[in-house]
Amino acid sequence: MPLRERFPIFRQRAYINSCSYGALSVDVREAYLHYLADRDAYGAHWEFWVSQLEMVRTMLADFFSVNADELTVTSSLSDGLNSLAANLDFSGKRNQVVLTDFDFPTTAQIWRAQERRGAECVQVAAASDGKTIPLENFIRCIDESTLIASLPHVCYRNGARLDLQPIIAHARQQGALVFLDCYQSVGTMRLNLAALDVDFAAGGMLKYLLASAGAGFLFSKKKHLDRFTPTSSGWFAQADINAMDGDHNKPADNARKLESGTPNVPNLYAVIAGLRLVNAVGLDVIEQAITDLTGLIKRRALEQGYCLGMPEQRAGHGAMVTLQTSDMYPLVSSLCREGVITSCRDNKLRISPHFYNNEDDIEQLFAGLNKHRQLLRLAD
């Protein structure tokens, strides 16, 4: 089956909204049917389901070029970050958490919830135009009192992409830990977490990894895991999940110690299908396709006099192009009626292509934009 035809939504709509949710493939649909067939055939299929969990862990390890023992399979980014935050000690002089103006609300909310445990949250400000966060702003905020710097790789509101290496280098000089929220970048480019030298990273499977809500991951360097003694636990966090020992808590000596109860079994099937599809296409092919499509969107937008909501340079944004609007919700609704699916945040239209999009989708998008240009901000 041709690649684009694996995504039935394109039979009726131009779907350019992968920053919200990846398009549903026949592969993932069939994976769910496989789960239901297993329920019909076996009722409970626990040994296989545990093997599926470990397959997800192994596939993610290959995806990020890290060790499988450093990966926790979670139900969401929030789930993973809560586990991480709960295991950090904010009682000493190094108690500062550095946030940014680009954080997704859940990361900021989780870190601010640690203030009752002694955390001091400091927020790095964006530039006056809201499109970037200058490196000097990070340098001013990350210092010898910083315990951890929380970095959103790509901003969910405007698509702006942080230049991670100098920020991480400065954090290392100050002795701070680094957490990377890579939800809006994973699946769009190669992410070698070991080479990036982050201490922790988290994301989910429902966007560019093409699976579903209810599945995520947390990466933790092994040296940090060795110091963690979770007070939140469960049978899947145990060294031996088959021990059924209610008299003791014996957590695993790897990243499984940050898991808890029964995993989201149906989504394990979906995650494997989504990852296989992404791997079959190839991250280099995906990144080039996204570069070509976002480049086309930017050129067309500027030709029409529309205002970009993120940096124009390719290195300055992720797989999302944003346009400034005068009224974002009516614009998204109007485009939907034209058969084009997008989304919006912060008075910006979010357009997020993936490898399954093509130039016809972009033509349909701009036909809709030009028809409703009164809802967009125009250049002076």
Side-chain angles (χ1 to χ4, degrees):
M1 179 185 295
L3 186 60
R4 184 173 164 93
E5 292 182 15
R6 305 193 78 82
F7 300 87
I9 194 168
F10 291 106
R11 297 171 192 166
Q12 55 187 344
R13 298 183 185 276
Y15 186 83
I16 325 177
N17 190 31
S18 297
C19 65
S20 289
Y21 218 125
L24 177 63
S25 66
V26 295
D27 308 72
V28 170
R29 180 184 291 274
E30 289 170 359
Y32 280 120
L33 294 176
H34 184 190
Y35 163 74
L36 294 174
D38 282 350
R39 289 293 311 278
D40 286 336
Y42 302 101
H45 203 19
W46 283 107
E47 288 186 7
F48 179 72
W49 292 338
V50 171
S51 74
Q52 293 292 89
L53 175 64
E54 295 312 312
M55 181 180 292
V56 167
R57 198 185 317 277
T58 299
M59 293 178 76
L60 287 171
D62 292 341
F63 203 80
F64 292 122
S65 301
V66 297
N67 193 295
D69 284 347
E70 297 175 306
L71 281 162
T72 305
V73 180
T74 67
S75 63
S76 63
L77 184 148
S78 299
D79 180 25
L81 184 53
N82 271 306
S83 294
L84 165 60
N87 280 280
L88 295 178
D89 182 4
F90 301 100
S91 63
K93 293 182 179 179
R94 190 180 283 274
N95 67 340
Q96 185 186 88
V97 179
V98 171
L99 311 175
T100 80
D101 280 355
F102 284 177
D103 277 65
F104 189 75
T106 199
T107 58
Q109 290 156 359
I110 290 169
W111 289 123
R112 292 190 186 282
Q114 308 312 308
E115 289 176 334
R116 69 193 67 179
R117 299 178 54 230
E120 177 187 349
C121 293
V122 175
Q123 191 156 321
V124 184
S128 58
D129 64 1
K131 294 182 180 181
T132 62
I133 302 180
L135 175 61
E136 54 265 28
N137 292 8
F138 283 100
I139 291 174
R140 279 197 296 268
C141 291
I142 302 173
D143 57 27
E144 66 279 358
S145 66
T146 302
L147 176 62
I148 190 164
S150 182
L151 307 179
H153 196 184
V154 174
C155 177
Y156 79 103
R157 295 196 317 273
N158 63 12
R161 175 180 167 185
L162 293 181
D163 183 5
L164 293 174
Q165 288 186 329
I167 305 170
I168 294 171
H170 175 70
R172 289 285 175 256
Q173 291 172 1
Q174 300 301 314
L177 301 171
V178 175
F179 166 76
L180 180 67
D181 170 2
C182 56
Y183 215 141
Q184 289 288 354
S185 60
V186 62
T188 71
M189 63 183 75
R190 291 196 178 277
L191 277 179
N192 185 321
L193 295 179
L196 275 175
D197 194 29
V198 296
D199 297 282
F200 309 97
M205 311 296 192
L206 64 88
K207 300 180 189 293
Y208 301 97
L209 293 181
L210 306 179
S212 181
F217 60 86
L218 172 68
F219 161 76
S220 308
K221 277 186 176 178
K222 188 177 187 304
K223 66 180 181 180
H224 302 307
L225 288 167
D226 290 344
R227 296 199 297 264
F228 287 171
T229 305
T231 57
S232 175
S233 193
W235 70 304
F236 268 79
Q238 301 301 298
D240 179 5
I241 66 171
N242 295 310
M244 299 299 170
D245 179 4
D247 296 325
H248 306 89
N249 175 47
K250 297 179 179 179
D253 61 359
N254 54 34
R256 281 201 304 106
K257 69 167 68 174
L258 298 179
E259 293 173 17
S260 55
T262 304
N264 189 326
V265 173
N267 277 350
L268 297 176
Y269 289 67
V271 167
I272 291 168
L275 286 172
R276 281 176 173 164
L277 186 52
V278 169
N279 286 334
V281 177
L283 285 171
D284 293 336
V285 171
I286 290 171
E287 185 169 5
Q288 187 60 56
I290 289 171
T291 296
D292 293 343
L293 289 167
T294 54
L296 175 60
I297 295 166
K298 288 183 293 184
R299 289 194 300 273
R300 291 291 302 275
L302 294 172
E303 288 169 1
Q304 295 296 325
Y306 303 146
C307 298
L308 298 178
M310 79 302 170
E312 183 180 347
Q313 299 82 5
R314 178 63 185 98
H317 66 85
M320 186 197 310
V321 175
T322 52
L323 303 181
Q324 298 181 39
T325 75
S326 58
D327 206 345
M328 62 182 182
Y329 293 116
L331 179 57
V332 170
S333 297
S334 296
L335 289 173
C336 184
R337 288 193 295 271
E338 305 293 338
V340 180
I341 306 300
T342 58
S343 59
C344 59
R345 293 285 188 276
D346 197 27
N347 221 23
K348 296 176 180 66
L349 181 73
R350 304 194 305 174
I351 308 161
S352 48
H354 207 351
F355 65 83
Y356 40 55
N357 290 110
N358 60 25
E359 292 188 11
D360 289 340
D361 296 331
I362 309 309
E363 287 296 323
Q364 191 172 345
L365 166 69
F366 276 92
L369 289 174
N370 294 339
K371 183 175 179 180
H372 302 282
R373 64 185 290 119
Q374 77 280 4
L375 297 173
L376 286 150
R377 280 191 56 192
L378 303 179
D380 296 333

